[in-house]
Amino acid sequence: MKKKKTAKQIAAIVCIVLLAALYLITLLSAIFAFPGWQRLFSGCLICTVAVPILLWIFIWLYGQFEQKHTIASFDIGQTDAGRTQNEDESNAAQN
């Protein structure tokens, strides 16, 4: 049975393909000298750093808007269940 791909899986695949293409273009522009290769090389290097950072920001914002724990959340090592349990314990201590 084939499982239907979710929007998150499609976005992840697109980002992987984009980063792979950036690496390949960076490599080819470093090897072959053609007009404008310096600008292409610099742009690819900048995008290689910027794309993962932007992806992390989008994942973090999704978690904030949906009130879900994501890989980009700042509470490293806690799951939704662990976070809910900690919130319940803190609420009980305050009352």
Side-chain angles (χ1 to χ4, degrees):
M1 244 188 269
K2 282 194 171 186
K3 188 177 176 183
K4 186 177 178 181
K5 296 212 182 294
T6 64
K8 283 194 251 183
Q9 290 173 329
I10 293 170
I13 291 169
V14 167
C15 285
I16 290 169
V17 169
L18 179 65
L19 284 173
L22 282 170
Y23 295 148
L24 182 63
I25 294 169
T26 304
L27 178 66
L28 292 176
S29 67
I31 293 173
F32 300 109
F34 54 88
W37 71 270
Q38 296 98 341
R39 291 187 62 190
L40 181 63
F41 183 77
S42 299
C44 286
L45 285 180
I46 290 169
C47 288
T48 299
V49 173
V51 167
I53 291 172
L54 289 174
L55 179 62
W56 183 87
I57 290 170
F58 290 142
I59 293 170
W60 179 76
L61 285 173
Y62 171 79
Q64 294 298 309
F65 287 127
E66 297 294 323
Q67 297 296 315
K68 291 185 178 181
H69 182 268
T70 64
I71 195 167
S73 297
F74 290 117
D75 54 351
I76 297 173
Q78 286 190 352
T79 61
D80 283 332
R83 188 174 60 176
T84 306
Q85 182 181 3
N86 289 344
E87 289 173 356
D88 291 343
E89 290 172 358
S90 66
N91 288 340
Q94 289 177 356
N95 294 334

